[in-house]
Amino acid sequence: MKTLIFSAVGLLSPFLLNAGLWTNLDEAHHYSGPELSEKALEGKVVLVESWGTDLEESCEIQSRMQQLWTSFKTKPFVIVGSHCTGKAAEKVAAVVAAKKLTFPMYEKAGLAEGPAFKTLPYFYVVNHRGRVVYSGGQDRDAEEALVTAIADVGQPIYLCRGVPLPKRYKSFAKKMKLGVTITGDLKKLEKEASGKNARMAEEAKVILDAIERTKGEVKEEIAAVKKANPGEALKLMKDFLKTWPKDGEDYKAEIPELQKQADAAKAAAKAAATK
Protein backbone atom coordinates (compact mmCIF):
# COMPACT_ATOMS: atom_id res chain seq x y z
CA MET A 1 0.00 0.00 0.00
CA LYS A 2 1.39 3.40 -0.95
CA THR A 3 1.77 5.89 1.85
CA LEU A 4 1.79 9.67 1.65
CA ILE A 5 5.17 10.89 2.81
CA PHE A 6 6.88 14.00 1.44
CA SER A 7 8.11 15.89 -1.61
CA ALA A 8 11.48 14.91 -3.02
CA VAL A 9 12.33 18.57 -3.31
CA GLY A 10 12.36 18.75 0.47
CA LEU A 11 15.29 16.33 0.55
CA LEU A 12 17.59 18.64 -1.34
CA SER A 13 19.72 21.24 0.38
CA PRO A 14 20.10 24.45 -1.65
CA PHE A 15 23.86 23.98 -1.27
CA LEU A 16 23.65 20.62 -3.04
CA LEU A 17 21.84 22.07 -6.03
CA ASN A 18 25.07 23.75 -7.07
CA ALA A 19 27.31 20.83 -6.18
CA GLY A 20 26.58 18.75 -9.28
CA LEU A 21 23.98 16.78 -11.15
CA TRP A 22 23.70 14.05 -8.48
CA THR A 23 23.55 14.13 -4.70
CA ASN A 24 24.36 11.78 -1.80
CA LEU A 25 26.51 9.41 -3.85
CA ASP A 26 29.13 9.28 -1.11
CA GLU A 27 30.36 6.84 1.50
CA ALA A 28 28.26 8.39 4.25
CA HIS A 29 25.03 7.59 2.36
CA HIS A 30 26.07 4.23 0.89
CA TYR A 31 24.34 1.07 2.15
CA SER A 32 25.31 -1.74 -0.20
CA GLY A 33 26.16 -2.76 -3.75
CA PRO A 34 28.76 -1.08 -5.98
CA GLU A 35 29.79 2.40 -4.89
CA LEU A 36 28.99 5.12 -7.42
CA SER A 37 30.22 8.58 -8.32
CA GLU A 38 28.82 11.29 -10.53
CA LYS A 39 31.57 10.55 -13.05
CA ALA A 40 30.61 6.86 -13.12
CA LEU A 41 27.06 7.76 -14.19
CA GLU A 42 28.09 9.94 -17.13
CA GLY A 43 26.76 8.59 -20.41
CA LYS A 44 24.59 5.97 -18.70
CA VAL A 45 20.87 5.48 -18.35
CA VAL A 46 19.98 5.66 -14.65
CA LEU A 47 16.86 4.31 -12.96
CA VAL A 48 16.41 5.92 -9.54
CA GLU A 49 14.14 3.82 -7.36
CA SER A 50 12.92 5.65 -4.25
CA TRP A 51 11.55 3.42 -1.50
CA GLY A 52 11.20 2.90 2.25
CA THR A 53 11.72 -0.09 4.54
CA ASP A 54 8.51 0.63 6.46
CA LEU A 55 6.33 0.32 3.35
CA GLU A 56 5.36 -3.19 2.25
CA GLU A 57 4.96 -2.40 -1.45
CA SER A 58 8.35 -0.68 -1.44
CA CYS A 59 10.01 -3.76 -0.03
CA GLU A 60 8.22 -6.13 -2.39
CA ILE A 61 9.26 -4.15 -5.47
CA GLN A 62 12.94 -4.77 -4.68
CA SER A 63 12.80 -8.22 -6.28
CA ARG A 64 11.60 -6.61 -9.50
CA MET A 65 14.44 -4.08 -9.34
CA GLN A 66 16.94 -6.89 -8.93
CA GLN A 67 15.50 -8.59 -12.03
CA LEU A 68 15.97 -5.39 -14.05
CA TRP A 69 19.49 -4.95 -12.72
CA THR A 70 20.40 -8.49 -13.72
CA SER A 71 18.74 -8.23 -17.14
CA PHE A 72 20.41 -4.96 -18.18
CA LYS A 73 23.64 -5.12 -16.19
CA THR A 74 25.77 -5.46 -19.34
CA LYS A 75 24.20 -2.33 -20.86
CA PRO A 76 25.15 1.31 -20.18
CA PHE A 77 22.66 1.30 -17.31
CA VAL A 78 22.61 1.69 -13.52
CA ILE A 79 19.91 1.31 -10.88
CA VAL A 80 20.25 3.57 -7.87
CA GLY A 81 18.24 2.32 -4.93
CA SER A 82 17.34 5.40 -2.91
CA HIS A 83 15.97 4.72 0.59
CA CYS A 84 13.92 7.76 1.58
CA THR A 85 12.24 7.20 4.94
CA GLY A 86 15.14 8.01 7.25
CA LYS A 87 18.53 6.44 7.92
CA ALA A 88 17.91 2.77 8.73
CA ALA A 89 21.03 0.73 8.11
CA GLU A 90 19.83 -2.45 9.83
CA LYS A 91 16.41 -2.44 8.17
CA VAL A 92 17.89 -1.77 4.74
CA ALA A 93 20.48 -4.50 5.27
CA ALA A 94 17.71 -6.94 6.18
CA VAL A 95 15.81 -6.22 2.95
CA VAL A 96 19.00 -6.38 0.89
CA ALA A 97 19.83 -9.79 2.38
CA ALA A 98 16.29 -11.17 2.10
CA LYS A 99 15.88 -10.08 -1.53
CA LYS A 100 19.53 -10.78 -2.44
CA LEU A 101 19.95 -7.31 -3.89
CA THR A 102 23.22 -6.51 -5.66
CA PHE A 103 22.52 -3.09 -7.21
CA PRO A 104 23.80 0.14 -5.58
CA MET A 105 21.78 1.19 -2.52
CA TYR A 106 22.02 4.64 -0.95
CA GLU A 107 20.16 6.90 1.45
CA LYS A 108 18.29 9.69 -0.39
CA ALA A 109 20.47 9.56 -3.51
CA GLY A 110 19.35 10.94 -6.84
CA LEU A 111 19.33 13.96 -9.08
CA ALA A 112 20.02 17.16 -7.19
CA GLU A 113 17.04 18.67 -8.99
CA GLY A 114 14.98 15.51 -9.32
CA PRO A 115 11.22 15.11 -9.70
CA ALA A 116 8.97 15.77 -6.70
CA PHE A 117 6.98 12.86 -5.30
CA LYS A 118 4.57 12.16 -2.45
CA THR A 119 4.24 8.38 -2.53
CA LEU A 120 6.59 5.40 -2.46
CA PRO A 121 7.77 3.49 -4.34
CA TYR A 122 8.60 6.12 -6.93
CA PHE A 123 10.76 5.80 -10.03
CA TYR A 124 12.42 8.10 -12.49
CA VAL A 125 14.59 7.32 -15.50
CA VAL A 126 17.43 9.64 -16.52
CA ASN A 127 18.73 9.22 -20.05
CA HIS A 128 22.44 9.20 -20.95
CA ARG A 129 22.41 12.97 -21.41
CA GLY A 130 20.92 13.67 -18.00
CA ARG A 131 17.29 14.35 -18.90
CA VAL A 132 14.43 12.75 -16.96
CA VAL A 133 12.44 10.74 -19.52
CA TYR A 134 10.04 9.09 -17.06
CA SER A 135 8.85 9.77 -13.52
CA GLY A 136 6.02 8.08 -11.67
CA GLY A 137 4.95 5.20 -9.49
CA GLN A 138 4.73 2.42 -12.09
CA ASP A 139 7.71 0.10 -12.39
CA ARG A 140 6.50 -1.28 -15.74
CA ASP A 141 6.35 2.21 -17.23
CA ALA A 142 9.80 2.92 -15.83
CA GLU A 143 11.09 -0.28 -17.44
CA GLU A 144 9.62 0.69 -20.82
CA ALA A 145 11.26 4.11 -20.59
CA LEU A 146 14.66 2.71 -19.66
CA VAL A 147 14.57 0.14 -22.51
CA THR A 148 13.95 3.00 -24.95
CA ALA A 149 16.62 5.16 -23.31
CA ILE A 150 19.21 2.36 -23.44
CA ALA A 151 18.50 1.83 -27.14
CA ASP A 152 19.09 5.56 -27.73
CA VAL A 153 22.63 5.53 -26.31
CA GLY A 154 25.07 6.30 -29.11
CA GLN A 155 22.29 6.89 -31.64
CA PRO A 156 21.37 10.20 -33.31
CA ILE A 157 18.13 11.75 -32.08
CA TYR A 158 15.32 10.72 -34.44
CA LEU A 159 12.80 13.49 -35.05
CA CYS A 160 9.70 11.35 -35.68
CA ARG A 161 9.79 8.71 -32.96
CA GLY A 162 6.56 6.75 -32.68
CA VAL A 163 5.23 8.00 -36.01
CA PRO A 164 5.19 5.48 -38.88
CA LEU A 165 5.93 7.38 -42.07
CA PRO A 166 3.59 6.89 -45.06
CA LYS A 167 5.20 5.54 -48.23
CA ARG A 168 5.52 8.94 -49.84
CA TYR A 169 7.55 10.13 -46.84
CA LYS A 170 9.87 7.13 -46.64
CA SER A 171 12.71 9.17 -48.12
CA PHE A 172 12.38 11.49 -45.10
CA ALA A 173 13.43 8.75 -42.69
CA LYS A 174 17.16 9.17 -43.33
CA LYS A 175 16.89 12.95 -42.97
CA MET A 176 14.74 13.03 -39.84
CA LYS A 177 17.72 13.17 -37.46
CA LEU A 178 19.01 15.97 -35.29
CA GLY A 179 21.86 17.77 -37.03
CA VAL A 180 20.41 17.38 -40.52
CA THR A 181 18.99 20.38 -42.39
CA ILE A 182 15.27 19.86 -42.93
CA THR A 183 14.08 23.39 -43.72
CA GLY A 184 12.84 22.43 -47.19
CA ASP A 185 11.14 19.29 -45.89
CA LEU A 186 9.32 21.27 -43.20
CA LYS A 187 8.02 23.70 -45.80
CA LYS A 188 6.71 20.78 -47.88
CA LEU A 189 5.03 19.25 -44.84
CA GLU A 190 3.47 22.57 -43.86
CA LYS A 191 2.12 23.02 -47.39
CA GLU A 192 0.57 19.54 -47.38
CA ALA A 193 -0.83 20.07 -43.85
CA SER A 194 -2.82 23.05 -45.13
CA GLY A 195 -3.80 21.39 -48.41
CA LYS A 196 -7.20 20.17 -49.56
CA ASN A 197 -6.40 16.45 -49.46
CA ALA A 198 -7.68 15.55 -45.98
CA ARG A 199 -5.70 12.31 -45.62
CA MET A 200 -2.43 13.85 -46.72
CA ALA A 201 -3.04 16.89 -44.54
CA GLU A 202 -3.63 14.75 -41.46
CA GLU A 203 -0.52 12.65 -42.08
CA ALA A 204 1.59 15.76 -42.56
CA LYS A 205 0.23 17.27 -39.32
CA VAL A 206 1.09 14.13 -37.34
CA ILE A 207 4.69 14.27 -38.60
CA LEU A 208 4.95 18.01 -37.90
CA ASP A 209 3.63 17.46 -34.38
CA ALA A 210 6.22 14.74 -33.77
CA ILE A 211 9.03 17.00 -34.99
CA GLU A 212 7.81 19.86 -32.79
CA ARG A 213 7.64 17.52 -29.81
CA THR A 214 11.22 16.40 -30.44
CA LYS A 215 12.34 20.01 -30.68
CA GLY A 216 11.01 20.62 -27.17
CA GLU A 217 12.71 17.47 -25.87
CA VAL A 218 16.05 18.51 -27.37
CA LYS A 219 15.75 21.89 -25.65
CA GLU A 220 15.13 20.05 -22.37
CA GLU A 221 18.18 17.88 -22.95
CA ILE A 222 20.36 20.91 -23.62
CA ALA A 223 19.14 22.59 -20.43
CA ALA A 224 19.70 19.39 -18.44
CA VAL A 225 23.23 18.76 -19.66
CA LYS A 226 24.74 22.27 -19.78
CA LYS A 227 26.21 22.25 -16.26
CA ALA A 228 27.19 18.60 -16.10
CA ASN A 229 28.59 18.14 -19.60
CA PRO A 230 29.23 21.36 -21.56
CA GLY A 231 30.78 19.39 -24.42
CA GLU A 232 27.59 17.39 -24.96
CA ALA A 233 25.47 20.54 -24.64
CA LEU A 234 27.67 22.26 -27.21
CA LYS A 235 27.20 19.41 -29.69
CA LEU A 236 23.43 19.39 -29.14
CA MET A 237 23.24 23.16 -29.64
CA LYS A 238 25.18 23.03 -32.90
CA ASP A 239 23.04 20.16 -34.18
CA PHE A 240 19.89 22.03 -33.11
CA LEU A 241 20.97 25.07 -35.13
CA LYS A 242 21.46 22.91 -38.23
CA THR A 243 17.98 21.41 -37.93
CA TRP A 244 16.07 24.47 -36.64
CA PRO A 245 18.24 27.52 -37.52
CA LYS A 246 15.47 30.03 -36.82
CA ASP A 247 14.62 28.56 -33.42
CA GLY A 248 18.10 28.49 -31.94
CA GLU A 249 19.14 32.14 -31.99
CA ASP A 250 19.53 32.20 -28.20
CA TYR A 251 22.04 29.35 -28.40
CA LYS A 252 24.43 31.32 -30.61
CA ALA A 253 25.29 33.64 -27.75
CA GLU A 254 25.94 30.68 -25.41
CA ILE A 255 28.20 28.68 -27.70
CA PRO A 256 31.48 30.62 -27.12
CA GLU A 257 31.29 30.22 -23.33
CA LEU A 258 30.29 26.57 -23.60
CA GLN A 259 33.21 26.00 -25.95
CA LYS A 260 35.57 27.39 -23.30
CA GLN A 261 34.03 25.14 -20.65
CA ALA A 262 34.21 22.09 -22.92
CA ASP A 263 37.86 22.79 -23.78
CA ALA A 264 38.68 23.23 -20.09
CA ALA A 265 36.94 19.98 -19.17
CA LYS A 266 38.78 18.12 -21.92
CA ALA A 267 42.12 19.54 -20.79
CA ALA A 268 41.41 18.61 -17.17
CA ALA A 269 40.48 15.05 -18.16
CA LYS A 270 43.65 14.74 -20.23
CA ALA A 271 45.79 16.03 -17.37
CA ALA A 272 44.16 13.61 -14.94
CA ALA A 273 44.77 10.70 -17.31
CA THR A 274 48.50 11.45 -17.52
CA LYS A 275 49.04 11.55 -13.75
Side-chain angles (χ1 to χ4, degrees):
M1 179 178 179
K2 292 185 179 179
T3 304
L4 184 66
I5 50 170
F6 41 69
S7 164
V9 174
L11 301 176
L12 307 178
S13 160
F15 299 103
L16 290 174
L17 296 179
N18 297 317
L21 187 64
W22 298 90
T23 188
N24 292 343
L25 294 178
D26 55 23
E27 187 177 350
H29 293 85
H30 180 251
Y31 283 122
S32 63
E35 294 188 27
L36 300 172
S37 66
E38 187 158 315
K39 184 70 177 176
L41 297 182
E42 283 185 12
K44 294 182 180 178
V45 176
V46 183
L47 168 59
V48 179
E49 177 244 348
S50 300
W51 70 291
T53 52
D54 297 330
L55 305 170
E56 183 179 351
E57 185 179 349
S58 275
C59 294
E60 290 302 318
I61 205 69
Q62 299 312 310
S63 296
R64 179 66 187 143
M65 294 298 101
Q66 181 61 34
Q67 289 175 0
L68 290 178
W69 174 242
T70 302
S71 297
F72 296 103
K73 198 173 181 180
T74 60
K75 304 294 184 181
F77 163 68
V78 177
I79 288 180
V80 178
S82 180
H83 182 262
C84 292
T85 52
K87 194 75 172 178
E90 291 185 3
K91 290 182 178 180
V92 171
V95 174
V96 168
K99 303 293 184 181
K100 298 180 180 179
L101 307 181
T102 61
F103 56 88
M105 189 68 70
Y106 284 82
E107 178 70 22
K108 297 178 181 177
L111 283 176
E113 298 182 66
F117 60 87
K118 293 183 178 180
T119 59
L120 295 178
Y122 189 87
F123 314 90
Y124 60 91
V125 177
V126 185
N127 75 0
H128 65 292
R129 295 188 183 92
R131 182 170 69 89
V132 176
V133 293
Y134 170 80
S135 61
Q138 303 301 316
D139 61 297
R140 296 293 177 180
D141 291 341
E143 179 182 357
E144 183 177 336
L146 75 86
V147 168
T148 299
I150 289 172
D152 285 344
V153 176
Q155 300 299 316
I157 295 176
Y158 184 57
L159 306 183
C160 293
R161 168 172 284 160
V163 176
L165 297 178
K167 285 185 178 181
R168 69 179 183 283
Y169 291 131
K170 288 299 182 183
S171 60
F172 280 15
K174 292 182 179 179
K175 300 179 70 176
M176 291 292 106
K177 298 173 183 177
L178 185 67
V180 176
T181 301
I182 59 169
T183 304
D185 301 295
L186 288 176
K187 287 181 179 179
K188 181 179 178 181
L189 285 166
E190 288 164 358
K191 183 177 180 180
E192 290 192 0
S194 59
K196 295 181 179 180
N197 186 310
R199 182 176 62 82
M200 291 176 64
E202 181 58 29
E203 290 173 346
K205 287 177 183 176
V206 169
I207 295 171
L208 286 169
D209 286 347
I211 294 172
E212 191 66 22
R213 207 163 43 243
T214 302
K215 184 199 298 182
E217 291 174 355
V218 174
K219 286 183 175 180
E220 290 178 6
E221 298 224 351
I222 291 172
V225 82
K226 272 196 293 189
K227 289 183 181 179
N229 191 335
E232 183 65 28
L234 184 66
K235 182 180 183 305
L236 286 171
M237 280 185 183
K238 290 180 177 180
D239 285 346
F240 186 100
L241 285 167
K242 290 177 184 176
T243 301
W244 298 288
K246 293 182 180 179
D247 298 299
E249 287 298 318
D250 292 344
Y251 292 145
K252 291 181 180 179
E254 296 184 61
I255 284 177
E257 179 57 32
L258 271 178
Q259 185 67 64
K260 290 180 182 178
Q261 293 178 22
D263 291 343
K266 186 182 291 185
K270 185 176 181 180
T274 57
K275 286 184 179 180

